């Protein structure tokens, strides 16, 4: 008897259920597009669509009207290109490493050029192929991460032949503090973007991530690149989260027990019960993307009841204090909520001392994934 390991684990026996609501994703896309109109809304599907499965998410976004997609690396783009219809553009935000140009061009994938070196490599590829090749040009407006510096931008202005053979789709930059509406960095970056763009009259500007979409419309320009807001994360700290949740995570109980006062729970014995305590061990840990920082801080929910995580989160399991529930309410195989109606993605991120992005992109591969 052989087991087909390519088959995903059945929902009934998987340690957890990750439910991804593609209808909510599409509604989030349309809500952002409506807020942005007449600015176009692209979508960032890097890191496997923030952990949710780019091969399912990208086609759903296309069906919702998206025609411009962004990933971080060429490898991600190569996996996705066949799944996104030819009417759509697919950009590589990090640009290309030397030697990858032909592969990128042949696959109809468009690089973001972030340095003069990348510009030169792409121009050489265009020359080698005897045709012009599309690219986006990114400028560093104050994040010091990716993009042409002031000097590099000036070099392109001084010698436009450096761009020979390159068909510029748009110019772009990235906001560092878009989720902080009061940060003066936002206006400074927009002003810098407009200064860079002045050298390319008539070309579109692509600027805002999720947070930027919730700054004033001056930040919208021609094309936006939301990521986290599509997936239900809060785009900005300035207001409550206007996005619809896309992810639900429930994990299974693998054991329950009652321990006396003074019992130590988990690695290091960090938690000591104060009185007789009912405990449940559940089948997910830090290898499944539940950060160790949730130890003695986070919680699961059953119905409306909060079940605190007690002791350290271990690799494949963690322990909950379920004393607040009636005896027998949880048993082997019961599901408790980690992300859902009682505890949002943002709540879990806050308890773990991190951001929703990190929770989503860390969600492990051991859950049964159901797309609705
Ligand atoms: C990740 C990323 C985005 C998306 O940002 P969100 O905050 O998730 O909306 C947009 N642009 C660039 C350059 C990025 O790296």
């Amino acid at each position: 008897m052989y087991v087909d390991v390519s088959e995903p684990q059945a929902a009934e026996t998987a340690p957890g259920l990750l439910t991804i609501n593609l209808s909510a994703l599409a509604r989030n896309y349309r809500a952002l597009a409506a807020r942005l109109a007449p600015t176009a809304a692209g979508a960032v599907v890097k890191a496997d669509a923030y952990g949710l499965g780019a091969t399912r998410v990208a086609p759903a976004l296309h069906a919702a009207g998206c025609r411009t997609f962004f990933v971080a690396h060429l490898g991600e783009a190569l996996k996705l290109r066949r799944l996104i219809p030819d009417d759509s553009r697919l950009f590589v935000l990090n640009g290309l490493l030397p030697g990858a140009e032909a592969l990128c061009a042949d696959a109809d994938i468009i690089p973001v050029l972030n340095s003069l070196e990348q510009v030169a490599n792409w121009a050489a590829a265009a020359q080698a192929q005897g045709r012009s090749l599309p690219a986006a040009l990114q400028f560093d407006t104050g994040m010091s991460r990716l993009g042409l510096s002031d000097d590099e931008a000036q070099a392109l202005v001084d010698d436009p032949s450096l761009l020979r053979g390159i068909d510029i789709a748009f110019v772009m930059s990235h906001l560092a503090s878009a989720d902080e509406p009061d940060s003066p960095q936002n206006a400074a970056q927009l002003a810098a973007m407009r200064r860079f763009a002045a050298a390319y009259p008539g070309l579109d500007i692509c600027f805002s991530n999720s947070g930027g979409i919730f700054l004033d419309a001056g930040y919208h320009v021609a094309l936006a690149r939301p990521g986290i807001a599509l997936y239900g994360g809060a785009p900005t700290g300035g207001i409550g989260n206007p996005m619809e949740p896309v992810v639900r995570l429930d994990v299974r109980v693998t054991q329950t027990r009652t321990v006396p006062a003074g019992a130590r729970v988990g690695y290091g014995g960090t938690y000591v019960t104060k009185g007789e305590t009912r405990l449940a061990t559940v089948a997910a840990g830090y290898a499944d993307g539940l950060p160790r920082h949730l130890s003695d801080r986070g919680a699961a929910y059953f119905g409306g009841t909060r079940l605190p995580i007690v002791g350290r989160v271990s690799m494949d399991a963690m322990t909950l204090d379920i004393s607040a529930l009636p005896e027998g309410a949880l048993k082997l195989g019961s599901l408790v909520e980690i992300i859902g109606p009682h505890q949002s993605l943002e709540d879990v991120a806050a308890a773990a001392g991190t951001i929703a992005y990190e929770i989503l992109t860390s969600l492990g591969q051991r859950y049964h994934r159901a797309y609705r």
Side-chain angles (χ1 to χ4, degrees), residues 44 46 50 93 138 145 172 174 209-211 225-229 357:
V44 179
K46 62 190 177 186
Y50 289 44
L93 291 166
Q138 174 154 231
R145 186 180 73 164
M172 64 172 278
H174 187 48
N209 63 341
S210 299
R225 306 182 305 273
I228 193 71
Y357 302 69

Side-chain angles (χ1 to χ4, degrees), residues 95 122 150 186 189 250 266 279 310-311 320 332 349 352 356:
W122 196 237
D150 289 333
N186 295 322
Q189 286 195 265
D250 299 278
L279 298 173
V310 291
L320 309 174
L332 181 64

Side-chain angles (χ1 to χ4, degrees), residues 15-356:
L17 306 181
L18 184 62
T19 309
I20 295 149
N21 186 338
L22 295 175
S23 314
L25 171 86
R27 284 191 292 275
N28 282 341
Y29 176 79
R30 284 192 226 101
L32 294 173
R35 185 181 179 91
L36 282 163
T39 295
V44 179
V45 293
K46 62 190 177 186
D48 202 23
Y50 289 44
L52 303 191
T55 59
R56 301 299 297 268
V57 162
L61 289 170
H62 184 272
C66 185
R67 295 294 178 267
T68 306
F69 295 84
F70 298 88
V71 292
H73 304 294
L74 178 60
E76 298 179 306
L78 290 167
K79 276 194 199 124
L80 265 190
R81 184 63 269 193
R82 280 174 299 113
L83 295 166
I84 302 175
D86 290 345
D87 63 357
S88 300
R89 301 177 296 177
L90 177 54
F91 290 88
V92 177
L93 291 166
N94 281 14
L96 302 177
L97 293 169
E101 293 80 13
L103 189 57
C104 180
D106 292 345
D108 192 22
I109 293 163
I110 310 175
V112 173
L113 305 178
N114 292 306
S115 64
L116 284 184
E117 189 179 3
Q118 288 184 337
V119 168
N121 293 346
W122 196 237
Q127 173 134 49
Q129 299 217 345
R131 58 174 175 136
S132 64
L133 293 175
L137 273 188
Q138 174 154 231
F139 298 93
D140 177 12
T141 56
M143 193 173 177
S144 312
R145 186 180 73 164
L146 286 171
L148 296 147
S149 66
D150 289 333
D151 288 350
E152 289 187 305
Q154 190 58 46
L156 291 185
V157 170
D158 293 344
D159 184 1
S161 76
L162 295 174
L163 289 165
R164 192 173 297 147
I166 299 177
D167 196 358
I168 305 174
F170 52 74
V171 295
M172 64 172 278
S173 192
H174 187 48
L175 285 162
S177 304
D179 56 336
E180 297 169 38
D182 297 333
S183 169
Q185 200 178 5
N186 295 322
Q189 286 195 265
L190 181 59
M193 178 78 260
R194 291 200 177 283
R195 273 199 308 279
F196 284 121
Y200 302 89
L203 274 189
D204 281 347
I205 298 175
C206 174
F207 196 57
S208 280
N209 63 341
S210 299
I213 293 170
F214 289 83
L215 300 173
D216 71 61
Y219 289 85
H220 292 175
V221 289
L223 173 66
R225 306 182 305 273
I228 193 71
L230 296 169
Y231 310 114
T236 173
I239 50 172
N241 186 357
M243 310 316 297
E244 196 177 327
V246 172
V247 173
R248 180 179 173 122
L249 176 61
D250 299 278
V251 300
R252 299 240 180 238
V253 171
T254 47
Q255 193 160 19
T256 61
R257 73 182 71 246
T258 301
V259 296
R264 293 186 179 277
V265 181
Y267 282 119
T270 54
Y271 186 83
V272 182
T273 54
K274 288 171 198 73
E276 187 178 88
T277 304
R278 248 193 337 272
L279 298 173
T281 303
V282 298
Y286 57 77
D288 306 292
L290 303 179
R292 203 161 166 274
H293 206 67
L294 289 171
S295 303
D296 291 315
R297 297 181 53 170
Y301 277 78
F302 184 73
T305 305
R306 184 174 190 275
L307 309 174
I309 297 170
V310 291
R312 288 193 184 144
V313 173
S314 47
M315 187 186 290
D316 323 290
M318 57 188 188
T319 309
L320 309 174
D321 182 342
I322 60 166
S323 304
L325 292 175
E327 190 138 16
L330 295 181
K331 55 186 200 313
L332 181 64
S334 297
L335 286 167
V336 297
E337 170 191 332
I338 304 291
I339 300 170
H342 300 96
Q343 178 163 260
S344 71
L345 171 63
E346 298 292 339
D347 293 336
V348 176
T354 183
I355 51 177

